[in-house]
Amino acid sequence: MDTFPSAHDTPAPTPAAARPTDNRRRVAGAAALASAVEWYDYFVFGIAAALVLGDLYFPAGSPTAGVLASFATFAVGFLARPLGGIVAGHLGDRRGRKPMLVLALTLMGLATTGIGLLPTYDTIGVAAPLLLVALRVLQGIAVGAQWGGAMLLATEYAPEGKRGLYGSVVQLGVPIGVVTANSVFLLAGAFTSESAFAAWGWRVPFVVGVFVLALAWYIHTRVEETPEFRRAERALAERERSETSSPLRTVLRHHLGTVLLAGGSFAVNTATFYIIITGVLDYTTRELGMERGAVLTVSLCVSLTQLVLIPASAALSDRLGRIRVYAFGAAGIALWAVPLFLLIDTGSLLWLAVGTFVASCFLSIMYGPQAALFAELFTPEMRYTGASLGYQIAAVGGGGLAPFVMVLLLEATGTSMAVSGYVIALSVVALASIKVLADRARSR
């Protein structure tokens, strides 16, 4: 047995199971939409960073320097994510999952729209990149706050034996966000010339992000707080009357090792994902001379397959156990790291599609059960804080730096095999972390 005791020692949330099915579906649907629109807003920055932001906001120096500066700004959003996770986690464990999710969506909508309206370096000078960084920080805080709230809305409403499947609806927000972001960029490019796209066409995907505010209002008015939080809230109120405590302090004092292991187990997934959707986009168009629209189309089609693979792997983890499925995905990423870039280096769209599709399969196998796995590492009264910290540590150590590290490795070594080595090293860390988590579960 390789699931975690917290999921079994604490009784299942029977009140959620007793609620009408349509209520559970409404909550799961709202969580999935919240995740999708939040990630859409977040991903449009990554695509724009690979295509246009370097020239528009960091024009000095070589094209490589501009891309590095653009990817560094992309990484800044990841550095801000733990702050969002800490603040929202602390308040979410005290005040509720729903208010923090609504706040995160509102902040993301305003920041993304702000980027779409931001003047370029040629218009306002050095203020342009500074404001771009500031808005990217707000995006990072928002997405750091969002994941825990959406994930817990879904998993804490899940019926008995389906926590993995319900958690996967939030994970689907990532491929939906990628597909939508790529689609909007493709449409913007199709209906504008190269000069018009550089002047204003790239802004359209950002301005569309304002519609996230409508979803925030819907969740605020139509979605109820989770049953598990309501029970944990009563227990927390009793504890606060007798002692001064906080979920964050409890996690840092007694569960920091679990948080770090969770982060270590997931960094390879998020790093490989961002290498594929942003780093490879830059590499194939700038270094290999491939056409931008064709590469975006491949990315879009590959992401569509995740809409099937993520819930399938999550449902499998409900039957076989989280760790077994999760570890299989991590091992697959390690084994595919070298073939992936050998195929990309051919410069063929077909082999690019094959390489990224197989990599996406292994990413999906890990990502499907990840929400339920992280939720089960912590008890309800500190779950938002603990799960969010684990996820966001992985995002900083893996995803945020990955495109930047990829460009540096390519420039320093002249070979994509250096990037494969980077992915393999992160895979070793992931497998070691997973083994320790599994050993802890067995010992309990």
Side-chain angles (χ1 to χ4, degrees), residues 171-259:
Q171 309 297 71
L172 286 175
V174 170
I176 292 172
V178 172
V179 168
T180 310
N182 277 281
S183 298
V184 175
F185 264 101
L186 282 170
L187 288 172
F191 287 99
T192 59
S193 64
E194 284 291 330
S195 59
F197 181 82
W200 60 268
W202 68 271
R203 297 180 181 275
V204 174
F206 287 91
V207 176
V208 169
V210 73
F211 291 106
V212 73
L213 299 178
L215 179 60
W217 178 252
Y218 174 83
I219 293 175
H220 175 67
T221 57
R222 298 294 301 278
V223 173
E224 298 179 13
E225 191 54 79
T226 72
E228 282 199 41
F229 172 75
R230 288 197 295 269
R231 289 207 305 275
E233 186 178 34
R234 290 192 291 270
L236 185 62
E238 291 291 333
R239 186 184 306 168
E240 286 179 339
R241 280 195 286 267
S242 60
E243 59 178 90
T244 301
S245 63
S246 77
L248 177 60
R249 188 180 297 115
T250 300
V251 168
L252 293 180
R253 282 185 178 178
H254 305 294
H255 303 279
L256 180 59
T258 301
V259 169

Side-chain angles (χ1 to χ4, degrees), residues 43 46-48 50-51 178-179 181-190 197 276-278 280-282 284-285 290-303 349 352:
F43 290 148
I47 297 172
L51 297 178
V178 172
V179 168
N182 277 281
S183 298
V184 175
F185 264 101
L186 282 170
L187 288 172
F197 181 82
I276 289 174
I277 69 164
T278 57
V280 168
L281 176 60
D282 167 65
T284 53
T285 56
M290 299 175 74
E291 199 270 323
R292 179 187 68 205
V295 175
L296 284 172
T297 301
V298 168
S299 179
L300 186 153
C301 293
V302 169
S303 296
L349 278 176
L352 170 66

